[in-house]
Amino acid sequence: MLRIGLLTSGGDCQALNATMRGIVKTLMTNSEEPIEIYGFEDGYQGLIYSRFRVMTPADFSGILTRGGTILGTSRTPFKRLDTPEADGVEKVPAMVHTYHKLQLDCLFMLGGNGSTKTANRLREEGLNVIALPKTIDNDTWGTELTFGFTSAIDVATKCIDDIHTTASSHGRVFVIEIMGHKVGWIPLYAGVAGGADVILIPEIPYDMDNVIKTIEHRMETGSRFTIVAVAEGAISKEDAALSKKEYKKKLAERTSPSIVYDIAKEIEAKTGRETRVAIPGHTQRGGQPDAQDRIFATQCGVEAALGCLRGEFGYMIALRDGKMCHMPLEDVAGKLKFVDPQSDLVREAKALGISFGDEWPRLEPPPSEPPGLTSQIVLGHVRTPPCASRGGVLPSCGKIWEVSPGASCGN
Ligand code: F6P
């Protein structure tokens, strides 16, 4: 008998069910032993309090396209892992106890960064754990993609598309808040896909003067509206220069609900143009997974199940250089993956004329710049390559993964 546990942890996303289906179908197809499946309710809470359902393959049928999670989820912050629950229950010993009580052979944990840290802790306690990279934010270190990300891009893009028509009718500026926690992957991708004019992300601190100049330039050149896509974690250059403590204090003193309101207010005051805020919010985590997410979620589920059948544990399933990999949990736990400000997509978006608020693009050809390799000709404008003119907040292009010898790809 092969006894497995499944849990979904942290904020939900569209492809959790598709992933669990992938795990269970693969085990059913390939295991020589009968399978017993324990589905823990509401993430690690189910493991702590031994709240589970004994499930059958039928429970995983027909859920490929269903958003959310059939198991329920919750957040169990890693930093409070060693703080007993309100009723005195010690979380880690309780989880270890449930695992052994049910004689599990493997726990499949579908979760993001924080949840992966907890999974690594359970690995250190001797449990067989396999993590699968879930999050709309795409900020999990060690994998190029997380499931949930592409569906969230679609939702955010649709929002930008829809806002275009009303912004254009009224000749307004719209500031759209896009999820992503501390990183800018969704706003960057949805911003490009939706044709935003300005994209502000945490990895590229902005200067409001540049944002205002971009809007004014659009107005002067005949555009009736401007779409500003703003990451919920976007930060100005001024705030990025503050210490962590000073910035936290500033956030605590903020009177508006979030940064987009401050940005919109300043835009309206400085440009005189009617400005509105739009927030797609949790719709970005809702609805059905898109085709790409269904495929990647299924791949993750299959690889995790095959790894389990080979008796391989203690890693997160990942995508690197287009290959499915095992990344050791101790390598990925607690690390975030940021947008590289020097990346191709940022460079190309800038070449297209999208402002990131960090610099005021030179729109006229410089008088004496020699022709040749140092310039790019983009729609009639000459611009120096962004990499040459900007210092990034992250290491420049090149190697992004430091990988331990335990990592393996193309299993
Ligand atoms: O991590 C996913 C995410 O949707 C983030 O983009 C966002 O910052 C956060 O979760 C919202 O969390 P909650 O659902 O707890 O409000």
Side-chain angles (χ1 to χ4, degrees):
M1 178 72 75
L2 179 70
R3 292 188 177 81
I4 63 141
L6 286 170
L7 67 83
T8 55
S9 173
D12 74 342
C13 75
Q14 294 89 339
L16 287 161
N17 292 325
T19 310
M20 290 191 279
R21 170 186 173 273
I23 295 171
V24 171
K25 273 180 95 79
T26 306
L27 290 177
M28 298 312 297
T29 307
N30 297 279
S31 174
E32 283 165 10
E33 303 172 72
I35 317 279
E36 201 154 271
I37 307 163
Y38 296 88
F40 293 101
E41 294 174 353
D42 301 332
Y44 286 115
Q45 289 297 307
L47 192 60
I48 294 169
Y49 287 102
S50 207
R51 277 197 285 113
F52 59 83
R53 279 176 254 157
V54 178
M55 304 179 83
T56 69
D59 292 316
F60 299 89
S61 179
I63 61 169
L64 175 63
T65 60
R66 190 163 144 195
T69 161
I70 57 170
L71 294 180
T73 188
S74 66
R75 295 189 191 276
T76 304
F78 179 78
K79 61 178 176 212
R80 293 209 291 275
L81 205 56
D82 290 314
T83 309
E85 294 281 284
D87 57 9
V89 169
E90 304 261 11
K91 298 183 195 69
V92 175
M95 290 193 274
V96 172
H97 175 76
T98 304
Y99 181 97
H100 290 306
K101 184 182 76 179
L102 298 175
Q103 298 179 308
L104 294 183
D105 295 298
C106 177
L107 174 69
F108 293 95
M109 193 290 298
L110 286 65
N113 289 300
S115 309
T116 305
K117 276 206 252 180
T118 301
N120 186 45
R121 176 70 184 278
L122 294 178
R123 178 195 64 80
E124 287 166 356
E125 297 288 331
L127 309 194
N128 292 335
V129 186
I130 300 178
L132 297 98
K134 167 245 58 162
T135 170
I136 63 165
D137 301 337
N138 196 35
D139 61 352
T140 303
W141 194 92
T143 180
E144 283 153 20
L145 189 61
T146 58
F147 50 85
F149 176 51
T150 59
S151 303
I153 296 172
D154 270 5
V155 178
T157 301
K158 172 80 169 57
C159 172
I160 298 173
D161 289 349
D162 293 347
I163 290 295
H164 262 94
T165 58
T166 178
S168 149
S169 306
H170 288 265
R172 285 172 170 162
V173 176
F174 264 86
V175 181
I176 306 177
E177 181 182 285
I178 299 181
M179 275 188 172
H181 200 217
K182 293 179 179 164
V183 304
W185 293 99
I186 311 174
L188 171 62
Y189 277 71
V192 171
D197 307 298
V198 179
I199 299 175
L200 305 181
I201 60 174
E203 294 88 341
I204 306 179
Y206 62 87
D207 181 335
M208 270 311 279
D209 286 347
N210 293 331
V211 175
I212 302 293
K213 275 193 221 165
T214 304
I215 296 167
E216 282 171 344
H217 178 75
R218 281 179 57 77
M219 283 155 51
E220 284 157 20
T221 51
S223 300
R224 277 174 57 74
F225 66 92
T226 298
I227 305 285
V228 185
V230 180
E232 59 183 347
I235 186 165
S236 67
K237 285 187 180 183
E238 196 189 337
D239 286 350
L242 297 175
S243 68
K244 211 173 165 185
K245 200 171 157 199
E246 289 166 332
Y247 183 54
K248 265 192 166 175
K249 186 166 174 275
K250 192 166 175 187
L251 287 185
E253 286 164 4
R254 179 188 276 157
T255 50
S256 60
S258 70
I259 192 161
V260 284
Y261 292 92
D262 299 342
I263 291 175
K265 203 167 154 193
E266 195 168 342
I267 289 173
E268 189 162 271
K270 292 197 171 150
T271 64
R273 188 54 63 134
E274 260 191 330
T275 304
R276 295 285 189 268
V277 163
I279 303 182
H282 287 78
T283 62
Q284 291 163 98
R285 285 193 348 218
Q288 293 192 327
D290 71 359
Q292 165 68 59
D293 253 343
R294 293 179 206 179
I295 296 165
F296 183 57
T298 300
Q299 286 187 281
C300 287
V302 170
E303 295 297 343
L306 292 177
C308 168
L309 290 174
R310 287 194 297 266
E312 296 164 1
F313 307 106
Y315 52 85
M316 182 186 79
I317 297 293
L319 181 75
R320 287 183 62 231
D321 298 329
K323 282 202 178 335
M324 299 302 288
C325 303
H326 293 179
M327 293 294 288
L329 275 173
E330 67 262 40
D331 281 2
V332 297
K335 294 185 195 160
L336 278 184
K337 180 186 68 187
F338 293 93
V339 170
D340 179 355
Q342 319 287 344
S343 63
D344 283 352
L345 188 56
V346 172
R347 180 178 54 76
E348 288 150 3
K350 287 190 171 189
L352 196 66
I354 296 174
S355 167
F356 285 77
D358 57 329
E359 58 190 355
W360 171 238
R362 188 173 50 206
L363 296 166
E364 298 305 324
S368 61
E369 190 162 352
L373 293 175
T374 55
S375 297
Q376 297 169 305
I377 310 296
V378 184
L379 299 177
H381 299 309
V382 180
R383 299 178 58 183
T384 51
C387 276
S389 61
R390 196 184 56 244
V393 292
L394 291 173
S396 62
C397 339
K399 200 172 168 195
I400 56 169
W401 313 117
E402 287 294 339
V403 180
S404 82
S408 61
C409 281
N411 290 298

